[in-house]
Structures are given as structure tokens and as C-alpha cells.
Amino acid sequence: MLSGFLPGDRIVYRRTFIECASRGASRPPYDRAVIASDLLLDAAERFGTPLYVYDAAELDAAVGRVRAAFGHARVSYAMKANSNLTVLRRLQARGIGFECVSLGELHRAREVGARGDDVLVNGPAKSAEEYTLGAALGATFIVDREEEVALLPPRSRALVRVNPALDVSTHDHLATGAAISKFGVRLDVAADVLAALRAAGHDARGLHVHIGSAIRDAADFERAFARLADLAPLTGPLEVLDVGGGWSLDADLHGIAARAREAASAFGAQVWVEPGRYLVAGAGALLTRVVGLKRTGRSFALIDAGMTELLRPMLYGAQHPVQALWSGADVQTYDLAGPACESGDLLARDVRLPEPHVGAVIAVGEAGAYGASMSSTYLTRSRPMEVLWDGEWSVIRRRETPQDLWATEV
Ligand SMILES: Cc1ncc(COP(=O)(O)O)c(C=O)c1O
């Protein structure tokens, strides 16, 4: 249960009881201080809600943790997690490149001046435009199916994504390395695809694996990396082993890095990684205000943010830590219901809150990844403003106007 807020406190997001329980009692609860709560209230007041707030220091700290574990490994941030240009530039200034999975993301990479090894092009069904822009940027393509060998621009640099055929500890929609998943080539053809790339004049640099997102059990990575290492006798030496991302926020990065280095050594390869969520999730919170209270068969706190601002609870059953930014004695259990005319539009269930009043501010934590980037204009709702705290607030994305939303229509 999360307690109320005392002015001047620093907010500490704690994983909800349900989330801790599902992780097993042996796991320590994860908590991390982020932006002081009085600052969050100030931001809600100044910029309005719903509002995404990011803490620059926490972004930098996440980069530091990745560097501490993976040393000089090339880090390609999966920009799908949060593709705000300010976030991209900040990561880029710390030596991080980008993994892009759409033409729009490639344009973002170009916009911030990324080139060469700082750009990876991924995706199961790349378009002609994506191949062309990727080649112009000198990117490395992640080949996801055999047919791509013939589709790549001449003399492309490429990795082959391998499907390790593993069931992993995450939501089905977040698992990408299962035998039934659409991603990657089968283990038994990976070496042939590398050979075909070379025969076609491409630079076959190595292998790639990404087993999914928010992986709970570190043993899943170990099993996946080991399956790739088993291919070494067939592939011979390789330049790169890209072990993807998918780390949960409390992941043992040093352990994952050690397993990655072991697997890479089988090929004499360097390790590349592609974290998304790990780098940005903890740095962001979604601020939302209470609009009213309602009781039907359950008790609801109606709030001004929902599925259009933060889709993860509806899409994956994701449980985000929730913090009330007020204090009070009468603590009750509420579901947090958004404003959309959709019955699945709930940001959290069974949240313990001190008696809410209209206008009270709630911080939904761990929302820096797949929050703003998945927000939508469904119901002609404007996507939220985004602000960054770096000793002062800066607006890094203005709130959309209704006119913005129909500007492309006739
Ligand atoms: C190929 C690939 N790499 C990296 C990532 C980043 O995953 P995460 O945000 O869980 O680290 C994804 C996410 O979907 C992905 O598909």
C-alpha cells in the first residue's frame, strides 16, 4: 500500500504488493527516489494535467548503471520506449545510439544526427523507404527473415535476428522469442542466412536476439544467450552479438552482462545491447488529477488520464506504482478510471488512497517507457504535454490542440 504525501517528502515509488507477490517473496522490493513530490505538484499546477514529467538525473543514472554493467558494449536505445527528441539527444550525448523500428523513428534518428553504427534498423516487415533511409544513414539492418537478404540495399551491414524458441517469464504480448512468435529466423537456419548475406555481398556482422520486454526471470536471458552460443561451431567467428533488451527495472544487469559476454566469447564477438524500458521507465511519471468519485459495484476515483495517455495497463495488464500527492486519514480502496467511454479504461485497480478530493494529483510511476510514445489521439484527445526536470522545468513537448489533430484532414 502506498502512503499519502507530506509536503517536502521525496517520492519513493514502491512496487505494489500485487507486483511484489507475483515476483516471489525472495525478491527485494524495488524502490527508487525520483522527482520530489512538491515539484510534481508545482508541475501539475503550472502545466496542467495529464502531464508526463521526467527526471533528467534519473535518466543519467540509468545510463550509468548500464555502463557499469556492460562496460564498452555498444548501447542502441530502443527508441520505441520514448522517442521524444530531448530524451534522444540526452542519451546520444552520453554515447548511446538508437534502434529504430519504423520510418518515423529513422527520421528521428536522422533529426538528431545519428549515423553509422549509432543506427540499427529493425522490424519484421521493413518498407522500401526504411531500407533506403537506413542505407543513407549507414545503419546496420537486423535481418528478421530469409527473404530480406534479397531486399537489403547493396552492400548492407547486417545482423541476423534469431528466434531462440523459448517461453519466457512475461506477458504473452511482450514475449518475442517464443517458437510461435513472428520474430527472427529459426535457430537451424541462422548460419545459412549469414552465409547467404555474405554470398550476396553484404557485411554479415553477427547475430541478434531479443526475447521480450519486462522479463522477470534472469535465467531466461541465460537460456537464450546459450542457445545462440551453441551456433558458434556453425557460424564461425563473428564481429557482433546483439543481445537485445527486455530488462526489468530491478534486473541483475551485472549477471545478464556476464552471460552475454560468455556467449559473445564463443564467437569472438563484441556485445551490443538494445535496452528501451530500462533506460527511461523509472525517470518518468504521469500526473493526473482526480475529477470525481463514483460507486457502482466498485469504488472509482475518476481521473483525467486513461488509456489514451497510458495504454500499458489495458494492453498488457501492466501494474504501475501509484502515489497520491496528498495526505489524509480515511484510506479506502479505489479503481482509477480514465475518462474514455471504454470499460477497460482503468489505469489501476485496488489502489489505497487517502480520501480523494476533486483536483487532487496522483503520480503514476515507471511511466517513462511506453507511456508518451504509446499515447494516442483516440476520441480526439490531445496527447499530454511532456516536461523535463533538470534543475528547472522545460517543456519538451507541448500539449496538442484539437486543431493539431485534424490538421491533416480535409
Ligand atoms: C528488438 C527489440 N529490441 C529492444 C527492445 C526494447 O525492449 P525493452 O524496452 O523491454 O528493453 C524491443 C522492445 O520491444 C525490441 O523489440
Side-chain angles (χ1 to χ4, degrees):
M1 190 197 89
L2 292 157
S3 59
F5 147 74
L6 299 175
D9 275 359
R10 281 183 68 79
I11 284 199
V12 178
Y13 294 126
R14 293 179 196 283
R15 289 202 183 280
T16 61
F17 173 75
I18 298 165
E19 202 173 351
C20 286
S22 68
R23 283 154 182 260
S26 61
R27 287 181 164 272
Y30 154 86
D31 50 26
R32 178 169 299 144
V34 293
I35 309 171
S37 47
D38 43 359
L39 278 175
L40 296 186
L41 286 172
D42 171 55
E45 199 56 45
R46 285 167 64 175
F47 305 112
T49 57
L51 178 74
Y52 273 103
V53 291
Y54 304 108
D55 181 359
E58 176 54 26
L59 275 178
D60 296 348
V63 173
R65 291 192 294 273
V66 172
R67 291 267 181 244
F70 286 92
H72 297 299
R74 177 167 292 281
V75 181
S76 304
Y77 166 60
M79 73 160 78
K80 62 167 80 72
N82 186 323
S83 55
N84 184 288
L85 292 176
T86 298
V87 171
L88 299 186
R89 290 195 184 101
R90 189 161 191 110
L91 294 175
Q92 188 182 35
R94 283 145 186 80
I96 287 180
F98 305 112
E99 187 237 12
C100 305
V101 294
S102 71
L103 186 62
E105 289 190 352
L106 276 165
H107 277 291
R108 284 181 185 270
R110 184 170 70 174
E111 179 68 19
V112 300
R115 297 193 62 79
D117 274 353
D118 284 336
V119 187
L120 294 180
V121 187
N122 203 352
K126 302 175 191 71
S127 67
E129 292 86 353
E130 286 162 9
Y131 287 122
T132 304
L133 182 50
L137 296 177
T140 293
F141 293 92
I142 298 173
V143 169
D144 202 82
R145 57 193 168 109
E146 288 94 314
E147 292 74 17
E148 264 197 275
V149 175
L151 300 173
L152 290 175
R155 292 179 303 285
S156 286
R157 298 193 290 173
L159 305 177
V160 175
R161 180 167 183 170
V162 180
N163 180 325
L166 277 175
D167 291 327
V168 297
S169 55
T170 191
H171 189 283
D172 278 355
H173 294 175
L174 293 172
T176 57
I180 57 164
S181 148
K182 68 178 175 183
F183 298 103
V185 304
R186 290 197 324 268
L187 283 157
D188 60 336
V189 298
D192 293 342
V193 180
L194 283 169
L197 281 166
R198 290 193 190 102
H202 301 299
D203 179 4
R205 306 181 75 181
L207 297 177
H208 171 284
V209 68
H210 173 75
I211 54 176
S213 263
I215 306 286
R216 291 188 293 269
D217 187 352
D220 292 341
F221 293 108
E222 187 169 351
R223 289 188 296 148
F225 301 167
R227 287 204 177 171
L228 263 71
D230 288 347
L231 296 174
L234 300 174
T235 66
L238 296 172
E239 182 192 349
V240 174
L241 181 67
D242 184 329
V243 296
W247 318 325
S248 60
L249 294 187
D250 56 359
D252 167 19
L253 290 198
H254 289 273
I256 296 170
R259 301 290 88 74
R261 280 193 285 270
E262 262 166 44
S265 70
F267 303 96
Q270 41 177 290
V271 173
W272 287 12
V273 291
E274 282 171 18
R277 175 175 164 74
Y278 189 89
L279 284 173
V280 291
L286 172 63
L287 302 187
T288 173
R289 280 190 195 275
V290 174
V291 172
L293 302 179
K294 179 166 185 175
R295 178 179 280 280
T296 57
R298 294 182 66 89
S299 290
F300 295 100
L302 305 172
I303 53 175
D304 65 4
M307 58 178 281
T308 48
E309 287 69 37
L310 181 61
L311 186 59
R312 299 186 75 250
M314 191 175 185
L315 196 59
Y316 308 131
Q319 291 165 357
H320 287 255
V322 171
Q323 177 80 41
L325 299 194
W326 70 95
S327 51
D330 185 15
V331 177
Q332 307 271 350
T333 302
Y334 300 89
D335 291 347
L336 298 187
C341 293
E342 295 279 347
S343 45
D345 184 33
L346 298 169
L347 283 195
R349 279 196 186 276
D350 295 321
V351 179
R352 301 280 291 162
L353 296 175
E355 190 176 3
H357 53 277
V358 171
V361 181
I362 290 173
V364 181
E366 295 177 7
Y370 306 104
S373 64
M374 278 192 175
S375 63
S376 78
T377 58
Y378 178 49
L379 308 174
T380 311
R381 280 177 63 80
S382 301
R383 284 170 293 187
M385 180 187 275
E386 297 175 74
V387 294
L388 178 78
W389 174 257
D390 192 11
E392 59 184 4
W393 288 115
S394 42
V395 175
I396 62 171
R397 179 190 184 147
R398 70 166 168 82
R399 200 175 296 284
E400 285 169 324
T401 64
Q403 290 74 15
D404 287 332
L405 303 193
W406 61 67
T408 53
E409 300 171 23
V410 288

